[in-house]
Amino acid sequence: MASEEGMSGAGARYIQMQSEPMPSMISSFFSFRQSPESTRIFEELPKATIVSVSRPDASDISPMLLSYTIEFRYQQFKWRLIRKASHVFYLHFALKKRAIIEEIHEKQEQVKEWLQNIGIGEHTAVVHDDDEPDEETVPLHHDESVKNRDVPSSAALPIIRPALGRQHSVSERAKVAMQGYLNLFLGNLDIVNSREVCKFLEVSKLSFSPEYGPKLKEDYVMVKHLPKIPKDDDIKKCCPCHWWSCCNDNWQKVWAVLKPGFLALLEDPFNPQPLDIIVFDLLPASDGNGEGRLSLAKEIKERNPLRHSLKMDEVHSLTDNRKFLKVTCGNRSIRLRAKSSAKVKDWVAAINDAGLRPPEGWCHPHRFGSFAPPRGLIDDGSLAQWFVDGRAAFEAIASAIEEAKSEIFICGWWVCPELYLRRPFQSHASSRLDALLEAKAKQGVQDIYILLYKEVALALKINSVYSKRKFLSIHENVKVLRYPDHFSTGVYLWSHHEKLVIVDYQICFIGGLDLCFGRYDTSEHKVGDQPPMIWPGKDYYNPRESEPNSWEDTMKDELDRGKYPRMPWHDVHCALWGPPCRDVARHFVQRWNYAKRNKAPNEQAIPLLMPQHHMVIPHYMGIGREMDVEKKNVENKYNDSKQIDSFSSRSSFQDIPLLLPQEPDGLDSPNEESKLNSSVNLLDQPTRANKSISFSFRKSKTEPVLDMPMKGFVDDLDTLDLKGKMSSGVMAQPGMRMSHREWWETQERGNQVLSADETGQVGPCIPCRCQGVDELLNGSLPLLSQFYIGFLLAKNSPFQPCQHAAVIRSVSQWSAGTSQVEDSTHNAYCSLIEKAEHFIYIENQFFISGLSGDEIIRNRVLEALYRRIMRAYNDKKCFRVIIVIPLLPGFQGGLDDGGAASVRAIMHWQYRTICRGNNSILQNLYEVIGPKTHDYISFYGLRSYGRLFDGGPVASSQVYVHSKIMIVDDCTTLIGSANINDRSLLGSRDSEIGVLIEDKELTDSYMGGRPRKAGKFAHSLRLSLWSEHLGLRGGDIDQINDPVVDSTYRDVWMATAKTNSAIYQDVFSCIPSDLIHSRAAMRQHMAIWKEKLGHTSIDLGLAPTKLESYDNGDMKTIEPMERLDAVKGHLVSFPLDFMCTEDLRPVFNESEYYASPQVFH
C-alpha cells in the first residue's frame, strides 16, 4: 500500500494464518507459471531499498512488530510501502505453497503425458515435433526450473527471528535480512509477476502506465454496487471462512487503483479494463454543518464493531470484510470495504490527498470556479493556436485525425458523418469524416468514441439517430452514445453544446465549429456554388430558407442553387496541446462515463474511460538537450530522493508517441534539405517541442485565387530581421510533417491559390511558457518564404512572463453528473470585463444578458460591461466595446411568418438586452452619457454578396456569426462554445466548454496612440478577424493596429460598417433594416420587392438586374455588381431600430407562447 512516511501505522495489522481449500489453491496457482507477456505487470525487474526500520515501542524488541519502510523503483516510477515481518511471513508461505503445488502439477502433467504415450490415458498419444511444442498444452517445467522459482526459507527466517542483541543491532540485522529477502524474490520475473508478489507490492496493470500519472495506493477492496462478477469462490470471498456475513449480501472483491484525479476498480490486478471509474470533481463548498468544505473521503462508523467505513465525497466508497468507507461522486454514492480500520484510514488519507493535492486539486475549485487548474504557470508544454472559419479548422482536424495512433474523441451538438473536411470535395473523398474514421479504425486505432447530443426531434432536425447508425456501421472500434434520454432524465429544454475533437490526448480542438453541414467556409464567405464544387448536396445550407426534413440522401440538394444563396458561416476555433488538452479530455471522459452509466450500464462493448494525466507531456515533448542534461542530474540524485509516491519524469521523447511529425531524421530527401538556408537549420534540435505544434495548409489549386488581406502581416507583427532566415522557395515551420509537403511547401506561383495561413485564417502556435523558449528553439526559428504568411514564434528572453491557459466550462448534474453547478465560463466573462483597461471585442451567436436587478435574465455579462463603461466615463478615459453578432437568428422562417415565433422571440430578448426598455444597456448608458454612448459601445453584423453562378443573379446573405470569443486589451482571449445567454452561462442548462488564454508572449503594438506591448495570440487573432471584416490587405494592417484610437475606431471600423450598410440597402433593400419599424411595414416592403423581382429570398437577398439612380437630375442605370464593388469586407451596422415598435414575444395562438421563456434566452 502506498503511504506517506508519516503514516507509521499504515499497513495490515492482522496476523492470523489464513488457510484455503486445496482445490482452490491449485486452481488459482497456475498463474505462477511463466506468464505470457500480455499478463505480466513487470517487464523488467524492479528494485527495492529499505529506507528505515521502526518499532511501535522502543522497549519492545519483538522482531515481528518491526515496521519496514521500503522504497520500490520501476522504470520512472517509485513508491513506498510500510511492511511488517508478519507480512513477509505470509508472503513467503504463499510462495512456498504455490511452488509445491506447481511441482505437483508438473509431475501430474508428466505422468499424464506418459500414460497417453503408451495408450493408457484418456486420449491417444500425439507425437509432437521437438521444435514445435503443442500450443494448447501447458508448457512443462523441469525440476531445475521449479527450484529456480523457489524462495528458500532460510532467507525469510532471519526476518521473522533475527539474532538477539541490542535494540540497534536487532534493527540493523532485520534491515539486512529484509533487504536480502527482497533481492531474492525481486530477482525473478516469474515470481515478481505472481499474484502474491503483485499484491504485496500493490501493483497492477495500471500502475506503470505513464499516461495515468504517478503510482499511488492500490489494494483489494470489497464493493456491493457492481453487477455480479463471475469468479472462483476463493477469489470472490473476502475471507476463507463461511460464517462471516461480510462474505454475503453481494459483496465482491475488486482491485482498487488510486491515481491522481480518479479511482479505478478492476476485476483483477492483471486486467486493466475498469469495472468502474470514479473521476474526482469539485466538492461542495460546505458540508451543510458549518464545518467547511467536504472531504473527499471519510470513514463510516457502523454498529457492527467488526466493520469500519470510510466516506468519500466526490468519489466512491471502499469497504472491507469488517471496515467501511463511502465515496460520493456527483450524484453517486458507493460503499467500499477494507480489512481493518487502519486500511480504511490509509484509504481516506490517500484519496483525500489525491483529490486535493496541488497542482491539480481536482476537488478544489480553481480560478473562476473552474474544475481545471491554470496551465502555463510552469514550462509544462502548453500550446495554443487559433483558426478563423471552417476551412482552416477542418483541415487541421483532418490532419490530426490522420495522425491518430490510439484515441479519437468527438463530441458535438451536431455531427455529420458525410462532412468533407477538405474541399473541393470531389478531389478529397478520403477527407469525409466517416471515411477518415474508418481508415483509422482499420489501421488499428482502437478507441474512437463519439458523443452526440440527443435532440428533441420535434424542435430540431439534426437527426442524431441517423448519425449514430451511420457511425456505428463504420467499424466495431467506433463507439457512439447519444445523451440525454429526455423521458428518463426529464431534460427537454437544454442541450449538450460543446464542440470537441481530441486526438491521442495530445491535441484537442475546441470552439464554435460543429463537424456538420453548413460550417465549412473561407474568408471570402461565398453565397453561391453552382455547379457544386465546395458545398455538396445538403452542405449548401441556409437554415433561414429551409431545414432538411431528412438527412438520408446527403448529396441531394435541399435548396435550388440557382435561386437561393447559402448562408455564409463565420466561426473561430482553437487547438490546444499539453495540459490544457488533458483537461478538455477529462471533461469528455466525465461526460462519456456519465452517459454510459445512464444509457448502457451493462453494455460491455461500451467501456468506461479513464482520464490521462498531464505529467506525461514533458515525456513526449522532450524539451531539448538541456532536459537530457537535467535528466542525468536528476538520475544521479535519484537514490537520495525522499519524496513519497513521486513520479520521476524522463525526458526521453520515445516514451510517448507524438501526434504529428515523427520523422527523426528530418526532411524526406537531400534535395529538399538543400533548399533550407544553412544558417537556420531546424534539424539541429531533435526535440518534440519543435514539432507538432502548429498547422499550416494550402488550398487546392482548383479553387480560384484569393485576395491576400493578411499579406505582410508577419512583418507588421514581428520586428525580427528575416534576412538570412529566408530561402528562395521553401518554408519550414515547426509542426510540419515532412511527408505532407502540402503543409509547408511553397507553391509555384502563377494561377496558384494561397493557403489558409496566407489569408490570415491560421494563427501562431503560441507556447504557454516563455521561460526556456530560447533553449527550446536554440536559434531554430521557422523560415518564411516571401509568399507564405505564417506567424513567427519569436526568440524571447528566458525571464519574460509566461502565457496562462485555463479551461472553463458550464456543467451540472444533468449534463456531466457533477454534484456542483459549474459556471466558470460566466465567471470568466465577468471578471475579464471588469479588469479590462482599454477595449473589449466580442463575437457571439447571441447577446442576451441582464443588468443588476433583472429577475428574468440571470447572467451578468451586461452588468459587467455597464459598470466598466461607467467607470471609464467617470474617469474620463477612452474605452471601447465592440460587439459583433448575427443580423438575424439562424432559424427557419420569414420574420412575419406564423411559424417564425421562435425567431422573433430571440430577437425580443436580444433587443431587450441591447437597446429597448429599462433593462437594456444602451438606454441606461444614454440616460447618463447621452449621444457619446456610441463612443464606448457599438454593435455590428456581417454580410456578404456574390453571384449564385456565372451570369446568374446577384445575391446577398448575412454572414452568420457563430464564433464565441472575447478579446480584451489585445492580451487575453476567451474562445469556446458558450453563447452569451443564460442557456450557456448559468451552468445548470446547456453544457459548454472553452479556454481562456492570457498572453505574456508580447509583440510591439499601440494602444490609445501610445506604444504598448500586445499579446501575440490575442493581437494576431484580432488583426486577422478585423482584416477579414474590413477587407484590408496586408499593407493596410497598420490602420487597425491600435483598436482604440479614433483613426481606427471611427475612421476605419465605424465608417466601413456605415458605408457597407448603405450600399447593401441601396442594392438589395435587405432585411433587417433600420427603415422597417413594424411587421406591417415589413409586409408592405416585402410585397413591393417581390412584385418588382418576381422572386427573392426570404430576407430579400436578391438584387434587381439593373439599379436606377439619379445623377444631376438625370436617371441612369448601373449593374448591381458595379455598386457593390465599393463594399469593403463584410462589416455592417447592426439595425438597432428594426421592428422597434413591435412586441416580438410569442402570442397566445403560437405554440411558443406555451413554452418556457428560458428556451429562448
Side-chain angles (χ1 to χ4, degrees), residues 1026-1046:
W1026 284 26
S1027 64
E1028 175 183 316
H1029 299 339
L1030 297 170
L1032 298 180
R1033 290 172 171 79
D1036 301 326
I1037 294 298
D1038 286 342
Q1039 299 180 26
I1040 58 173
N1041 202 30
D1042 187 335
V1044 173
V1045 71
D1046 281 347

Side-chain angles (χ1 to χ4, degrees), residues 165-432:
R166 290 184 299 178
Q167 177 179 326
H168 177 73
S169 176
V170 171
S171 298
E172 286 300 319
R173 293 182 182 184
K175 180 177 180 180
V176 173
M178 176 65 80
Q179 185 70 64
Y181 183 77
L182 292 174
N183 293 340
L184 192 62
F185 80 77
L186 293 181
N188 186 300
L189 271 179
D190 291 336
I191 297 178
V192 167
N193 282 290
S194 66
R195 292 182 180 275
E196 287 76 12
V197 173
C198 289
K199 182 177 183 296
F200 178 82
L201 299 179
E202 293 188 0
V203 296
S204 67
K205 276 286 191 178
L206 294 182
S207 298
F208 309 121
S209 298
E211 62 267 26
Y212 299 123
K215 182 191 177 330
L216 302 181
K217 183 174 176 57
E218 302 183 39
D219 203 355
Y220 277 112
V221 298
M222 297 293 293
V223 298
K224 193 175 183 179
H225 70 283
L226 295 176
K228 188 172 181 61
I229 307 170
K231 292 183 179 181
D232 296 331
D233 290 341
D234 63 318
I235 299 178
K236 177 177 65 179
K237 293 183 177 181
C238 56
C239 61
C241 63
H242 299 281
W243 49 82
W244 290 110
S245 62
C246 61
C247 297
N248 303 320
D249 302 327
N250 298 321
W251 287 98
Q252 302 181 87
K253 191 176 185 179
V254 297
W255 184 263
V257 180
L258 180 64
K259 286 288 186 177
F262 71 89
L263 177 70
L265 303 179
L266 312 181
E267 178 181 350
D268 183 86
F270 292 85
N271 184 354
Q273 185 60 45
L275 299 170
D276 201 358
I277 175 75
I278 303 97
V279 179
F280 301 157
D281 201 26
L282 297 179
L283 289 171
S286 172
D287 61 1
N289 299 321
E291 297 182 2
R293 184 171 295 276
L294 285 174
S295 298
L296 186 60
K298 289 184 180 179
E299 184 176 1
I300 297 176
K301 304 295 184 182
E302 295 204 353
R303 294 180 181 178
N304 189 340
L306 295 178
R307 293 184 176 182
H308 294 265
S309 305
L310 154 70
K311 180 178 181 181
M312 297 173 49
D313 298 321
E314 298 294 319
V315 194
H316 266 227
S317 49
L318 300 169
T319 54
D320 181 33
N321 308 1
R322 305 171 181 82
K323 319 298 175 183
F324 295 79
L325 68 94
K326 184 177 182 182
V327 186
T328 304
C329 179
N331 62 342
R332 304 180 67 208
S333 182
I334 301 172
R335 293 200 310 165
L336 309 173
R337 287 184 189 167
K339 285 191 173 181
S340 66
S341 59
K343 282 182 174 287
V344 168
K345 288 180 171 60
D346 290 344
W347 275 110
V348 170
I351 293 172
N352 282 332
D353 181 64
L356 297 172
R357 70 162 59 178
E360 287 82 8
W362 296 113
C363 297
H364 182 76
H366 297 281
R367 189 183 182 193
F368 309 121
S370 172
F371 78 108
R375 303 301 189 179
L377 300 178
I378 60 172
D379 191 1
D380 57 7
S382 299
L383 300 169
Q385 186 174 23
W386 53 257
F387 305 94
V388 175
D389 296 323
R391 180 187 64 173
F394 284 177
E395 290 199 49
I397 292 171
S399 300
I401 291 176
E402 288 172 341
E403 295 295 333
K405 299 298 185 294
S406 55
E407 298 99 2
I408 300 172
F409 299 157
I410 297 175
C411 176
W413 179 81
W414 184 18
V415 182
C416 296
E418 296 89 351
L419 175 70
Y420 289 89
L421 297 180
R422 296 189 178 101
R423 313 293 167 98
F425 61 90
Q426 297 97 332
S427 57
H428 292 94
S430 62
S431 74
R432 214 170 80 162

Side-chain angles (χ1 to χ4, degrees), residues 657-800:
L658 260 184
L659 172 65
L660 293 176
Q662 299 189 19
E663 290 77 13
D665 297 326
L667 299 176
D668 289 341
S669 67
N671 292 335
E672 291 171 328
E673 183 176 357
S674 64
K675 295 179 183 179
L676 292 178
N677 189 304
S678 59
S679 64
V680 184
N681 189 353
L682 294 179
L683 306 179
D684 286 344
Q685 282 293 305
T687 70
R688 302 237 170 157
N690 273 351
K691 302 177 182 180
S692 302
I693 61 174
S694 65
F695 291 98
S696 295
F697 311 100
R698 68 174 183 176
K699 292 176 61 179
S700 170
K701 294 186 180 182
T702 59
E703 293 189 56
V705 178
L706 297 182
D707 193 7
M708 297 169 56
M710 298 296 288
K711 187 76 173 78
F713 183 24
V714 173
D715 297 359
D716 295 316
L717 276 179
D718 297 290
T719 57
L720 293 175
D721 182 6
L722 299 181
K723 295 179 180 180
K725 292 184 172 64
M726 298 181 64
S727 65
S728 60
V730 179
M731 189 284 306
Q733 184 168 349
M736 308 300 174
R737 287 189 77 248
M738 298 306 180
S739 60
H740 290 272
R741 299 179 187 176
E742 64 271 20
W743 283 23
W744 60 273
E745 187 179 33
T746 301
Q747 304 173 73
E748 296 177 12
R749 289 324 202 225
N751 293 325
Q752 309 87 335
V753 297
L754 304 179
S755 71
D757 302 57
E758 291 175 295
T759 57
Q761 292 181 290
V762 179
C765 186
I766 302 297
C768 294
R769 174 70 173 175
C770 291
Q771 184 173 357
V773 169
D774 278 13
E775 293 81 3
L776 179 67
L777 296 179
N778 197 24
S780 300
L781 289 175
L783 301 176
L784 285 176
S785 72
Q786 57 180 333
F787 299 107
Y788 187 88
I789 305 302
F791 296 90
L792 279 177
L793 177 61
K795 294 180 66 176
N796 291 276
S797 164
F799 301 104
Q800 283 190 327

Side-chain angles (χ1 to χ4, degrees), residues 1111-1131:
D1111 185 13
N1112 296 327
D1114 298 328
M1115 187 177 68
K1116 66 175 184 178
T1117 60
I1118 60 172
E1119 293 287 337
M1121 291 297 289
E1122 184 179 344
R1123 181 77 174 96
L1124 290 168
D1125 284 342
V1127 170
K1128 295 182 179 180
H1130 307 104
L1131 189 69

Side-chain angles (χ1 to χ4, degrees), residues 778-831:
N778 197 24
S780 300
L781 289 175
L783 301 176
L784 285 176
S785 72
Q786 57 180 333
F787 299 107
Y788 187 88
I789 305 302
F791 296 90
L792 279 177
L793 177 61
K795 294 180 66 176
N796 291 276
S797 164
F799 301 104
Q800 283 190 327
C802 66
Q803 175 196 30
H804 302 161
V807 176
I808 51 180
R809 63 179 183 173
S810 297
V811 294
S812 61
Q813 188 276 324
W814 85 262
S815 57
T818 60
S819 63
Q820 302 298 298
V821 174
E822 181 179 332
D823 59 346
S824 53
T825 303
H826 180 218
N827 297 335
Y829 264 107
C830 294
S831 177

Side-chain angles (χ1 to χ4, degrees), residues 17 28 54 78 84 110 140 261 380 494 623 663 703 711 745 789 854 930 946 954 977 1009 1020 1032 1112:
M17 184 76 69
S28 63
S54 61
K78 63 179 178 179
K84 292 185 177 180
Q110 291 174 359
L140 300 178
D380 57 7
W494 318 131
I623 322 278
E663 290 77 13
E703 293 189 56
K711 187 76 173 78
E745 187 179 33
I789 305 302
D854 192 332
V954 178
S977 66
S1020 62
L1032 298 180
N1112 296 327

Side-chain angles (χ1 to χ4, degrees), residues 426-603:
Q426 297 97 332
S427 57
H428 292 94
S430 62
S431 74
R432 214 170 80 162
L433 182 58
D434 55 356
L436 280 173
L437 297 180
E438 181 180 13
K440 297 312 298 183
K442 290 180 178 179
Q443 291 172 17
V445 176
Q446 296 291 320
D447 302 327
I448 301 176
Y449 299 115
I450 302 174
L451 189 55
L452 303 175
Y453 165 56
K454 184 178 180 180
E455 77 285 4
V456 178
L458 293 176
L460 292 171
K461 298 180 181 180
I462 58 179
N463 202 347
S464 61
V465 174
Y466 170 78
S467 296
K468 179 179 179 180
R469 288 201 308 264
K470 189 74 174 178
F471 282 125
L472 288 177
S473 67
I474 293 175
H475 195 275
E476 62 181 3
N477 290 355
V478 179
K479 312 295 191 302
V480 184
L481 283 174
R482 293 192 310 145
Y483 194 78
D485 272 334
H486 305 287
F487 181 77
S488 61
T489 62
V491 177
Y492 294 93
L493 303 181
W494 318 131
S495 66
H496 288 299
H497 199 240
E498 306 98 316
K499 301 91 168 60
L500 299 177
V501 176
I502 305 162
V503 178
D504 293 343
Y505 280 93
Q506 297 179 17
I507 180 174
C508 74
F509 299 87
I510 66 174
L513 279 166
D514 283 291
L515 296 179
C516 64
F517 293 144
R519 272 49 171 180
Y520 184 95
D521 215 331
T522 69
S523 60
E524 289 181 290
H525 296 304
K526 295 180 180 180
V527 297
D529 184 33
Q530 174 71 4
M533 294 288 291
I534 308 300
W535 294 277
K538 291 179 172 57
D539 204 4
Y540 189 86
Y541 181 71
N542 190 335
R544 292 285 301 126
E545 294 286 351
S546 175
E547 286 275 12
N549 292 316
S550 172
W551 297 101
E552 300 295 331
D553 188 359
T554 58
M555 297 301 290
K556 181 180 179 181
D557 285 351
E558 177 69 21
L559 294 174
D560 187 337
R561 296 172 184 256
K563 294 183 177 181
Y564 298 101
R566 63 177 291 270
M567 187 171 74
W569 200 274
H570 172 69
D571 228 317
V572 176
H573 225 54
C574 181
L576 300 172
W577 289 261
C581 173
R582 300 290 173 113
D583 295 339
V584 173
R586 183 182 182 87
H587 169 81
F588 179 90
V589 167
Q590 280 187 289
R591 277 209 47 214
W592 176 272
N593 289 349
Y594 184 63
K596 185 261 190 302
R597 291 191 183 98
N598 285 276
K599 293 280 303 235
N602 300 318
E603 192 169 337

